[in-house]
Amino acid sequence: MEKRYILFDLDGTLTASYEGIINAFVYSLSKFGIEPKADRFNEVIGPPLRHTYMDVYGMSREESEEAIRFFREYYNEKGLFENKPYDGIIDMLHTLYAHDKKLMIATAKQDNIAERIADHFGFSPYLCFIAGTTSDFASEDGGNVRASKEDVIRYILSSNDIKDPEKAVMIGDRAYDISSAKKFGLQTVGVLYGYGTGEELLSAGADYLAKDPRDIERYIIEG
């Protein structure tokens, strides 16, 4: 099956974002007098923030909303640039672009933050679409919000008139990326250099595991 539309997760897939995210997370928890659980830091990278605050730290919805505001207070000012592309990412994007692949970002970050990161690190010239979340919580009245990776992928498919999702590939480092894409029939690649594990990615249904960006490039072009 042709691999035409390539959707990339951002954190742990295009950029090594651990430092900025963890610093923002620790900052937000300090506002509640909470000591972070360092052994669970990797769980913060990828899933929506509300899950971490509510599931790991037992916060209510209202508390998690406040925690997310503190997180962004730090992250939107400093944390987003405490970050760097993985080695080989720009070369991979350049090669895929040259092969006429439609490259997109599908992230749990908010649109404007994803755009700032893409511009800062030089991804933007290779991308035809960037989509992130518009809210941290699903609308209670059924409103058209993007609060999850599943919402983001649905929005990308609709906005780009992708009629055959089997021609689209979701590339990410966490189970959320893989399982969300599978709901729409996308091909999936789990990356082993990010923050998830091979076991996590395979359990979520990854079709292929890539050890580095060059491996992604080969799979998309040759596989």
Side-chain angles (χ1 to χ4, degrees):
M1 178 63 68
E2 177 189 7
K3 301 175 179 67
R4 173 68 168 163
Y5 308 97
I6 316 302
L7 285 63
F8 289 98
D9 175 47
L10 187 53
D11 297 323
T13 301
L14 294 180
T15 67
S17 52
Y18 185 92
E19 180 182 358
I21 290 175
I22 295 306
N23 286 345
F25 184 62
V26 171
Y27 173 83
S28 67
L29 290 179
S30 72
K31 299 296 185 178
F32 293 84
I34 297 175
E35 185 72 26
K37 300 175 181 179
D39 62 334
R40 303 192 71 173
F41 275 173
N42 264 17
E43 297 179 31
V44 180
I45 315 293
L49 288 169
R50 66 180 184 276
H51 286 300
T52 303
Y53 290 120
M54 297 175 74
D55 298 345
V56 177
Y57 290 93
M59 291 186 178
S60 66
R61 174 170 173 148
E62 291 73 22
E63 289 171 331
S64 67
E65 287 175 340
E66 186 175 8
I68 290 169
R69 284 195 294 272
F70 285 127
F71 178 96
R72 292 201 172 115
E73 181 178 294
Y74 181 96
Y75 189 82
N76 293 3
E77 179 68 24
K78 300 178 182 178
L80 77 167
F81 298 133
E82 294 173 331
N83 190 6
K84 65 179 181 179
Y86 287 105
D87 290 343
I89 288 296
I90 292 293
D91 288 342
M92 176 198 67
L93 294 175
H94 177 81
T95 299
L96 295 179
Y97 180 83
H99 280 77
D100 201 29
K101 304 300 180 182
K102 301 300 182 183
L103 309 182
M104 311 175 188
I105 285 179
T107 178
K109 288 192 179 325
Q110 293 178 312
D111 286 352
N112 63 320
I113 298 301
E115 290 166 1
R116 288 175 65 191
I117 292 171
D119 286 345
H120 181 76
F121 291 121
F123 301 156
S124 295
Y126 305 107
L127 302 171
C128 66
F129 203 76
I130 297 175
T133 54
T134 59
S135 173
D136 296 295
F137 295 88
S139 173
E140 295 180 352
D141 61 4
N144 186 24
V145 301
R146 284 173 263 139
S148 68
K149 184 60 67 78
E150 185 176 337
D151 293 337
V152 171
I153 293 173
R154 181 185 296 108
Y155 174 70
I156 288 176
L157 296 177
S158 174
S159 298
N160 291 275
D161 198 30
I162 299 175
K163 302 294 188 184
D164 188 350
E166 290 187 356
K167 291 184 178 180
V169 183
M170 179 70 216
I171 300 172
D173 70 314
R174 301 308 304 263
Y176 281 92
D177 302 312
I178 305 303
S179 60
S180 296
K182 283 294 181 181
K183 292 180 180 179
F184 298 97
L186 276 64
Q187 301 177 65
T188 56
V189 174
V191 303
L192 298 176
Y193 56 82
Y195 302 113
T197 65
E199 180 181 3
E200 172 187 341
L201 293 163
L202 288 173
S203 295
D207 297 310
Y208 181 76
L209 296 181
K211 64 181 182 301
D212 55 36
R214 182 72 180 91
D215 210 11
I216 297 172
E217 181 183 310
R218 283 192 294 266
Y219 178 76
I220 297 300
I221 296 171
E222 305 169 10

